[in-house]
């Protein structure tokens, strides 16, 4: 039987690179596509010798051409951190809207099943807790996060339109905060920021009073959930994340303990529209995918710290 072929956009990014590895391990032929604005070729360099792996340096906001058959598409191309949306807001809007449209068109042309990466950000600063898929969200369309949140909301609408109108096989995953090796150190996210600061002996910058909550999922759990969702027959949005919730101040303290750092915590202004709380309701994923996270935070943080420590001072600087 010939191998299935999958296109992974954002393939050189944090999640994309882990997905490339996973699908190669499962015996797929993988085409990774990335414009390398926020992705990093070093994340996939080790895959180049594999004859089942190809890489296209391309911006999916422009017409996407892939020669040959495709069975599946994973659309994971997008800046995904608040600092990135502030730096490249127009590209963020374009990849979620025009990029999604191009990939839906490609999926239709290839008769491929497509899974798009949506986000807990579509719930905005949620008024319902924990967030289940039936909640429609509380999003500020014109705030700094609006470029990401609204692009992802548009992406979901466009995907469902192709599903209904063209009968395209589509899947939507709503990803909650995820962490692990290959996150960018300076993308502004809490975990790489705190680990980088601890490694450099700087104080840890907690925004606001640190009472806002998040629920952090280790990357291997997320990847397994995405794999199951892609192969399932469920075409409505599914939350994936780890429901174990923690305040950001406690999270910073956990990282100080893990790294053995003598650094202190420094409180800084809370960014605009920073959600006060976030926790996924994963009952649906449990039911339709028989999935739940297996890696608890202490294990996941230890693995992530080992990775960053192992980079050495030069790569730590280069990955800034
Ligand atoms: N945060 C923080 N210090 C930092 C970076 C982030 O206190 O150096 C806070 C941020 O304001 C948010 C939480 O940590 O409340 C999680 O931020 P992240 O960017 O990781 O995820 P998101 O806000 O997108 O959920």
């Amino acid at each position: 039987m010939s191998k299935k072929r999958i296109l992974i956009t954002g393939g050189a990014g944090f999640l994309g690179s882990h997905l490339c590895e996973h699908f190669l391990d499962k015996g797929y032929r993988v085409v990774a596509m990335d414009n390398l604005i926020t992705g990093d070729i070093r994340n996939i360099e080790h895959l180049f010798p594999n004859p089942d792996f190809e890489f296209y340096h391309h911006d999916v906001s422009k017409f996407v051409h892939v020669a040959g058959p495709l069975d599946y598409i994973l659309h994971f191309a997008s800046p995904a951190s608040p600092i990135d949306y502030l730096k490249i807001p127009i590209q963020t809007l374009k990849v979620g809207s025009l990029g999604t449209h191009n990939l839906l068109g490609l999926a239709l042309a290839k008769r491929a099943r497509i899974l798009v990466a949506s986000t807990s950000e579509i719930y905005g600063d949620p008024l319902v807790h924990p967030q289940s898929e039936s909640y429609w969200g509380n999003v500020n369309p014109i705030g700094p996060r609006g470029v990401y949140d609204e692009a992802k909301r548009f992406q979901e609408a466009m995907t469902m339109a192709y599903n209904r109108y063209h009968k395209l096989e589509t899947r939507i995953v709503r990803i909650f905060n995820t962490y692990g090796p290959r996150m960018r150190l300076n993308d502004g996210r809490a975990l790489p920021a705190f680990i980088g600061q601890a490694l450099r002996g700087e104080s840890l910058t907690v925004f606001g009073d640190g009472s806002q909550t998040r629920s952090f999922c280790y990357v291997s759990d997320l990847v397994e959930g995405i794999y199951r969702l892609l192969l399932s027959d469920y075409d409505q949005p599914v939350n994936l994340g780890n429901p174990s919730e923690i305040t950001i101040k406690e999270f910073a303290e956990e990282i100080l303990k893990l790294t053995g750092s003598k650094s202190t915590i420094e409180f800084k202004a809370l960014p605009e529209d920073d959600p006060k709380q976030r926790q996924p309701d994963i009952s649906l994923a449990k039911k339709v995918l028989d999935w739940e996270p297996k890696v608890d935070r202490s294990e996941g943080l230890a693995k992530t710290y080992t990775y960053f420590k192992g980079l050495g001072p030069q790569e730590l600087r280069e990955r800034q």
Side-chain angles (χ1 to χ4, degrees):
M1 208 177 68
S2 71
K3 291 185 169 187
K4 299 274 190 209
R5 189 161 181 248
I6 184 166
L7 169 67
I8 303 181
T9 75
F14 161 51
L15 294 180
S17 62
H18 287 281
L19 287 163
C20 287
E21 279 175 353
H22 187 81
F23 280 88
L24 286 169
D25 284 350
K26 294 280 180 193
Y28 287 67
R29 291 160 64 208
V30 171
V31 182
M33 188 172 279
D34 206 298
N35 64 0
L36 301 176
I37 288 191
T38 57
D40 190 326
I41 201 81
R42 281 173 295 202
N43 289 337
I44 49 170
E45 225 156 22
H46 60 293
L47 303 178
F48 279 78
N50 189 327
D52 286 332
F53 182 72
E54 294 168 77
F55 175 67
Y56 291 5
H57 186 186
H58 181 68
D59 176 355
V60 298
S61 303
K62 308 207 171 85
F63 183 82
V64 180
H65 173 73
V66 175
L70 281 178
D71 301 286
Y72 300 105
I73 297 175
L74 296 182
H75 181 28
F76 276 68
S78 177
S81 83
I83 285 208
D84 290 336
Y85 330 141
L86 285 175
K87 263 197 271 182
I88 41 173
I90 318 275
Q91 285 99 324
T92 305
L93 278 159
K94 282 171 76 177
V95 72
S97 54
L98 307 181
T100 299
H101 190 201
N102 288 336
L103 291 158
L104 288 165
L106 181 69
L108 197 60
K110 301 282 186 186
R111 307 202 188 299
R113 180 182 294 177
I114 180 168
L115 181 151
V116 298
S118 188
T119 164
S120 55
E121 282 284 327
I122 65 119
Y123 300 122
D125 191 2
L127 305 176
V128 164
H129 194 74
Q131 295 78 53
S132 72
E133 291 82 352
S134 57
Y135 178 51
W136 292 350
N138 176 39
V139 173
N140 175 3
I142 57 167
R145 286 175 181 249
V147 297
Y148 184 62
D149 302 5
E150 294 297 351
K152 290 294 187 181
R153 289 172 71 97
F154 175 89
Q155 174 182 65
E156 290 199 7
M158 189 64 137
T159 301
M160 288 316 294
Y162 268 70
N163 176 295
R164 293 194 186 104
Y165 183 75
H166 286 301
K167 310 280 175 246
L168 186 68
E169 286 194 32
T170 61
R171 306 287 179 264
I172 299 174
V173 56
R174 291 185 179 153
I175 301 170
F176 284 67
N177 294 71
T178 300
Y179 68 97
R182 305 198 190 122
M183 290 184 96
R184 266 166 48 231
L185 270 176
N186 70 338
D187 75 354
R189 295 198 159 279
L191 175 109
F194 293 162
I195 290 190
Q197 288 159 346
L199 283 171
R200 293 188 299 268
E202 299 165 6
S203 47
L204 271 57
T205 52
V206 166
F207 299 158
D209 63 4
S211 63
Q212 69 274 33
T213 68
R214 294 293 185 275
S215 309
F216 295 96
C217 183
Y218 189 65
V219 63
S220 59
D221 282 331
L222 188 88
V223 164
E224 177 62 28
I226 289 165
Y227 178 67
R228 290 188 189 200
L229 177 59
L230 179 69
L231 299 186
S232 78
D233 55 11
Y234 192 77
D235 66 3
Q236 301 296 302
V238 179
N239 286 342
L240 291 182
N242 191 323
S244 161
E245 188 180 1
I246 185 173
T247 70
I248 293 303
K249 182 163 174 281
E250 285 163 346
F251 189 54
E253 285 160 356
E254 279 190 4
I255 296 207
L256 285 178
K257 205 162 147 208
L258 170 76
T259 57
S261 159
K262 300 272 174 299
S263 298
T264 50
I265 290 179
E266 184 188 339
F267 293 92
K268 293 209 160 178
L270 190 67
E272 195 181 334
D273 294 335
D274 198 280
K276 284 182 278 303
Q277 52 181 7
R278 186 181 283 154
Q279 184 193 35
D281 178 335
I282 57 164
S283 332
L284 184 65
K286 280 186 184 160
K287 193 169 121 203
V288 299
L289 309 176
D290 188 25
W291 174 89
E292 64 182 330
K294 301 247 176 315
V295 182
D296 68 20
R297 207 169 44 245
S298 60
E299 184 187 349
L301 285 181
K303 286 183 177 174
T304 309
Y305 180 52
T306 304
Y307 162 81
F308 279 116
K309 227 174 28 181
L311 288 181
Q314 188 181 341
E315 196 164 350
L316 269 180
R317 260 196 314 278
E318 283 170 11
R319 280 183 175 262
Q320 281 296 322

